[in-house]
């Protein structure tokens, strides 16, 4: 028995009448009207994920700030906002997107290692809940800009706790030699430095040690460290009342054991809960990843003699994670395979002129034909937001399904529109 769809969340993606559906809508029906490739998200699954986190963390009084760089579509933000979420942002662009989706400033945390003066100014103008400051240089700049505005900025110090998140090197952020956060050893400079600053109020500490973390152990180490640092800074007279635990909660791309909301809640309960601090988390990937798929068409089944390639109409510009992080996305046919179908080995690739434009190698699928469709599973996080127009390709549209209806929530940005972005100097 082949159950190729087993790693798609069954509450959102199921075979019905021989073809893969998102909730009540056939992916083929969307593909027939829109063309491929496109991203498809299940609103029901987004709500289900958010509610699972909220239910586990609410008893501990933990605020949830969706790290919107994982998926910043206005419709997705509005959905989470209506569930009560705030956002964690990393740029002025994400600030504008949050505000446009109706998320008020006081539900926004601004993270990021290189905030510009203009971004800090815009954040203070919209009254953000908290700026997570990553260096003393940034702290001084925030103070100066806040002084000019005549306000006092609410600031948390992003600490580099020097904890190994045990994840991919490119998404590790909490080790001493990563660019993120303030080295714990430097905190001794704080007393003198901070006393002179009139327009910042350091009311929290924050950490975010990496992404796609699958075990509670590194999180527990980081949270414990943050709790100690918060206590220590309080003893030194800073008005610390908040601890921001960051995000990074992993999801099972290959069917690994999941870091569940319950185990996260336990990690928080064991370390920082119940000590009088307001707590927050910044989950991105875990709220959106498995609610989304990238639907692609098979352009060719290329017989290379010793092996076979599935050449898709989706490419690394649409979904860069395999090329960038060696990430794995299960590939599932839209047509339901017969239970006893023979499996064939394929390398699944895109059309771009780079060998890294490969989605997977040596995967076993039923016999595929040109014109059929597949989904790349677990593509709701860092998919559309990391897409580009490389090779003068369109930006793939995004679709939201809710029950029996679907809507295009970002149209395809086609080449005519992209050519219009360019300007030829008049002297040419
Ligand atoms: C990216 C990021 C997050 C979210 O990370 P996920 O792995 O998607 O949960 C949270 N906080 C900060 C500061 C980030 O940069």
């Amino acid at each position: 028995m082949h159950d190729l769809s087993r790693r798609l969340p069954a509450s959102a993606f199921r075979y019905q009448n021989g073809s893969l559906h998102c909730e009540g809508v056939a992916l083929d029906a969307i593909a027939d009207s829109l063309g491929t490739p496109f991203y498809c998200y299940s609103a029901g699954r987004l709500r289900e994920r958010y509610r699972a986190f909220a239910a586990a963390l609410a008893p501990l009084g933990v605020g949830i700030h969706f790290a919107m760089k994982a998926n910043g579509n206005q419709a997705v933000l509005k959905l989470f906002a209506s569930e009560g979420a705030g956002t964690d942002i990393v740029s002025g662009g994400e600030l504008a997107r949050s505000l446009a989706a109706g998320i008020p400033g006081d539900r926004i945390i601004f993270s990021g290692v290189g905030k510009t003066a203009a971004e800090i100014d815009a954040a203070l103008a919209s009254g953000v809940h908290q700026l997570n400051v990553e260096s003393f240089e940034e702290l001084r700049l925030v103070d100066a800009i806040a002084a000019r505005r005549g306000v006092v900025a609410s600031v948390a110090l992003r600490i580099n706790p020097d904890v190994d998140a045990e994840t991919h090197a490119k998404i590790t952020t909490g080790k001493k030699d990563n660019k993120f956060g303030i080295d714990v050893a430097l905190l001794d400079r704080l007393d003198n430095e901070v006393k002179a600053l009139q327009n910042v109020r350091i009311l929290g500490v924050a950490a975010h040690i990496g992404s796609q973390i699958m075990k509670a152990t590194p999180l527990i180490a980081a949270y414990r460290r943050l709790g100690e640092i918060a206590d220590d800074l309080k003893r030194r007279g800073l008005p610390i009342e908040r601890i921001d635990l960051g995000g990074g909660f992993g999801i099972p791309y290959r069917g690994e054991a999941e870091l569940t909301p319950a185990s996260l809640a336990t990690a928080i309960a064991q370390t920082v809960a119940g000590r009088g601090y307001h707590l927050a988390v910044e989950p991105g990937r875990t709220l959106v990843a498995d609610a989304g798929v990238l639907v692609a068409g098979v352009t060719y089944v290329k017989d290379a003699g010793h092996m076979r390639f599935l050449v898709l109409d989706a490419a690394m510009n649409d979904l860069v994670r395999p090329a960038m992080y060696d990430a794995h996305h299960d590939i599932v046919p839209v047509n339901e395979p017969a239970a006893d179908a023979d499996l064939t080995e394929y390398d699944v690739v895109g059309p771009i002129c780079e060998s890294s434009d490969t989605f997977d190698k040596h995967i076993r699928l039923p016999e595929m034909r040109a014109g059929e469709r597949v989904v790349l599973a677990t593509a709701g996080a860092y998919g559309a937001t990391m897409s580009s127009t490389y090779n003068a390709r369109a930006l793939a549209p995004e679709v939201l399904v809710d029950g029996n209806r679907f809507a295009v929530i970002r149209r395809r940005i086609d080449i005519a529109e992209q050519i219009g972005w360019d300007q030829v100097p008049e002297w040419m």
Side-chain angles (χ1 to χ4, degrees):
M1 234 291 283
H2 309 307
D3 187 6
L4 291 162
S5 69
R6 70 195 180 283
R7 280 184 219 146
L8 292 164
S11 61
F13 298 97
R14 275 186 312 272
Y15 287 116
Q16 293 170 47
N17 309 319
S19 99
L20 194 61
H21 283 55
C22 179
E23 303 190 25
V25 180
L27 293 174
D28 273 328
I30 305 174
D32 288 344
S33 85
L34 266 191
T36 49
F38 63 91
Y39 280 95
C40 180
Y41 311 125
S42 156
R45 182 62 178 170
L46 292 170
R47 283 187 208 102
E48 187 173 69
R49 288 300 287 173
Y50 183 83
R51 287 174 189 173
F53 266 79
L57 299 183
L60 302 169
V62 182
I64 300 179
H65 295 260
F66 171 52
M68 61 170 286
K69 71 175 186 283
N71 189 324
N73 188 286
Q74 290 287 291
V76 172
L77 294 181
K78 271 199 179 348
L79 183 149
F80 285 136
S82 70
E83 296 287 317
T87 49
D88 171 65
I89 62 166
V90 291
S91 71
E94 289 193 347
L95 174 64
R97 276 190 170 273
S98 280
L99 296 171
I103 295 160
D106 63 11
R107 278 205 255 157
I108 298 174
I109 293 174
F110 195 170
S111 304
V113 74
K115 300 176 203 76
T116 64
E119 287 175 322
I120 292 166
D121 195 52
L124 293 177
S126 37
V128 296
H129 174 66
Q130 182 173 303
L131 283 151
N132 288 359
V133 162
E134 301 221 7
S135 64
F136 296 123
E137 294 77 8
E138 184 186 350
L139 190 64
R140 283 193 289 269
L141 183 60
V142 171
D143 181 67
I145 295 170
R148 216 183 302 143
R149 284 203 160 268
V151 298
V152 176
S154 296
V155 160
L157 298 176
R158 178 167 175 184
I159 307 294
N160 188 327
D162 197 23
V163 169
D164 188 348
E166 298 172 43
T167 182
H168 192 285
K170 286 187 189 170
I171 50 177
T172 294
T173 55
K175 290 285 292 168
K176 240 179 157 54
D177 48 2
N178 295 132
K179 69 181 175 184
F180 300 96
I182 299 172
D183 191 332
V184 178
L186 293 183
L187 289 177
D188 284 336
R189 290 192 198 160
L190 254 175
D191 297 330
N192 303 324
E193 186 90 32
V194 162
K195 275 181 196 129
L197 303 176
Q198 303 291 309
N199 290 83
V200 289
R201 185 173 162 81
I202 299 180
L203 42 65
V205 291
H208 172 72
I209 60 169
S211 196
Q212 188 52 15
I213 298 165
M214 293 305 281
K215 286 185 273 176
T217 334
L219 294 174
I220 289 171
Y223 298 170
R224 186 161 289 140
R225 196 84 194 86
L226 267 182
E228 290 163 4
I229 294 166
D231 291 348
D232 177 50
L233 293 180
K234 234 162 82 166
R235 267 195 304 275
R236 295 204 235 160
L238 288 182
I240 304 288
E241 57 189 43
R242 301 179 186 168
I243 301 181
D244 176 348
L245 303 169
F249 317 124
I251 56 117
Y253 286 97
R254 297 175 189 269
E256 315 88 310
E258 181 183 14
L259 182 81
T260 59
S263 53
L264 175 63
T266 305
I268 295 172
Q270 285 174 355
T271 52
V272 287
R275 290 164 59 172
Y277 294 108
H278 297 289
L279 302 174
V281 288
E282 305 165 348
R285 181 193 314 274
T286 190
L287 295 182
V288 288
D290 77 1
V293 296
L294 176 63
V295 183
V298 176
T299 308
Y300 296 103
V301 181
K302 172 174 166 173
D303 185 348
H306 65 298
M307 59 187 297
R308 307 224 288 162
F309 291 98
L310 277 192
V311 185
L312 303 185
D313 60 9
M316 63 189 282
N317 74 298
D318 302 303
L319 178 64
V320 77
R321 299 188 65 259
M324 193 159 161
Y325 309 117
D326 307 311
H328 170 85
H329 291 269
D330 274 345
I331 296 170
V332 181
V334 170
N335 291 333
E336 183 171 15
D340 60 352
D342 287 336
L343 297 186
T344 306
E345 200 172 279
Y346 294 100
D347 280 12
V348 181
V349 302
I352 285 183
C353 310
E354 308 248 0
S355 292
S356 58
D357 189 23
T358 296
F359 289 116
D360 216 339
K361 290 185 165 178
H362 312 300
I363 64 158
R364 291 163 65 74
L365 288 172
E367 193 80 27
M368 300 291 294
R369 285 177 216 285
E372 274 193 65
R373 292 161 181 146
V374 296
V375 306
L376 292 135
T378 336
Y382 305 103
T385 51
M386 292 183 96
S387 62
S388 78
T389 60
Y390 185 42
N391 272 217
R393 290 171 51 83
L395 283 178
E398 297 173 89
V399 170
L400 185 69
V401 172
D402 199 356
N404 293 319
R405 42 183 189 181
F406 76 91
V408 176
I409 58 172
R410 181 178 77 188
R411 68 173 192 282
R412 191 181 303 282
I413 310 295
D414 66 14
I415 195 58
E417 189 165 354
Q418 291 176 37
I419 291 170
W421 293 344
D422 296 1
Q423 281 175 289
V424 178
E426 57 182 43
W427 37 261
M428 281 187 89

